[in-house]
């Protein structure tokens, strides 16, 4: 797999770099402020409750400095931690955030809040892929939706870009 940095250089469409490792092989793309969007975090917390998933996460800036450690995603502490994340990432960097559950079933990365981000999952782990299938597709674009929009995206970003995107992220596993 090519490094994400090499894929998107010179493109108007940018995604985070320096986080993908081979065990994360199933992806959802998003364009809201990761770790800063109260509505998303509330819905995500509810989803984790519903599925019985680990709600404990670590949040880092894109230089891998811990911003919030062992945060349990609960409605009553969301605003306090959003303020902390926003304050630290804006004071010491570009606002980029990495968020992952402490079991590393998923990792989400957004290098700056105005760019697209990626939720990455491990298809080899049942909990990871189960969460992927439960995620609300109104919040995300999966690779299948990218394929459905291919003609529009080719006009906007070029065929080479779309081919690289699909070849690097197009390995979604079938539903269990």
């Amino acid at each position: 797999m090519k490094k994400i940095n090499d894929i998107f250089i010179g493109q108007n469409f940018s995604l985070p770099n320096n986080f993908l490792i081979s065990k994360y092989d199933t992806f959802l793309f998003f364009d809201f402020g990761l770790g800063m969007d109260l509505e998303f975090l509330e819905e995500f917390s509810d989803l984790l409750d519903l599925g019985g998933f680990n709600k404990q996460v670590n949040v880092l800036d894109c230089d891998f400095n811990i911003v919030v450690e062992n945060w349990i995603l609960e409605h009553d502490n969301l605003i306090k931690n959003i303020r902390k994340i926003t304050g630290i990432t804006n004071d010491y960097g570009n606002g980029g955030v990495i968020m992952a559950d402490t079991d590393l079933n998923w990792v989400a990365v957004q290098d700056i809040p105005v760019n697209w981000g990626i939720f990455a999952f491990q298809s080899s782990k049942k909990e990871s892929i189960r969460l992927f299938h439960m995620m609300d597709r109104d919040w995300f674009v999966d690779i299948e939706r990218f394929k459905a929009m291919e003609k529009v995206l080719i006009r906007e970003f070029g065929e080479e870009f779309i081919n690289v995107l699909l070849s690097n992220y197009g390995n979604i596993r079938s539903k269990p």
Side-chain angles (χ1 to χ4, degrees):
M1 180 182 257
K2 290 184 180 180
K3 288 190 176 197
I4 214 168
N5 192 36
D6 297 333
I7 298 168
F8 298 108
I9 288 175
Q11 300 293 336
N12 292 331
F13 180 94
S14 62
L15 290 165
N17 54 21
N18 301 323
F19 87 99
L20 291 178
I21 54 177
S22 60
K23 66 182 176 178
Y24 293 102
D25 59 359
T26 304
F27 308 98
L28 292 173
F29 304 91
F30 62 90
D31 68 348
F32 52 84
L34 179 64
M36 300 171 201
D37 188 304
L38 180 61
E39 184 182 0
F40 167 73
L41 289 172
E42 286 176 338
E43 288 189 25
F44 189 54
S45 173
D46 292 342
L47 174 72
L48 295 175
D49 278 338
L50 178 69
F53 296 104
N54 177 11
K55 291 183 67 166
Q56 195 168 1
V57 300
N58 292 319
V59 181
L60 301 94
D61 66 20
C62 282
D63 292 325
F64 299 100
N65 299 306
I66 293 176
V67 176
V68 181
E69 189 171 14
N70 297 319
W71 174 15
I72 298 175
L73 292 176
E74 299 285 354
H75 287 255
D76 61 351
N77 68 14
L78 292 176
I79 292 176
K80 174 187 80 162
N81 283 310
I82 289 171
R83 287 185 181 139
K84 183 176 182 180
I85 292 166
T86 304
I88 290 173
T89 56
N90 288 339
D91 288 347
Y92 298 105
N94 57 11
V97 173
I98 302 168
M99 184 182 292
D101 77 323
T102 56
D103 296 330
L104 297 177
N105 285 316
W106 57 267
V107 60
V109 178
Q110 185 176 39
D111 60 352
I112 59 175
V114 298
N115 282 352
W116 282 65
I118 301 173
F119 253 87
F121 304 85
Q122 297 182 52
S123 66
S124 63
K125 293 178 83 173
K126 281 185 179 181
E127 288 298 294
S128 181
I129 206 66
R130 189 167 66 90
L131 178 61
F132 167 79
H133 288 298
M134 290 179 71
M135 298 287 275
D136 182 350
R137 294 312 193 270
D138 290 337
W139 285 96
F140 300 98
V141 176
D142 61 15
I143 202 69
E144 297 305 319
R145 198 176 300 173
F146 269 117
K147 288 177 184 176
M149 298 185 316
E150 188 172 352
K151 288 182 182 178
V152 172
L153 294 172
I154 286 173
R155 279 197 305 273
E156 188 165 342
F157 300 112
E159 189 169 3
E160 182 180 351
F161 168 79
I162 300 306
N163 289 337
V164 171
L165 179 74
L166 294 176
S167 68
N168 282 280
Y169 297 101
N171 57 343
I172 301 278
R173 305 299 190 249
S174 58
K175 290 186 179 183

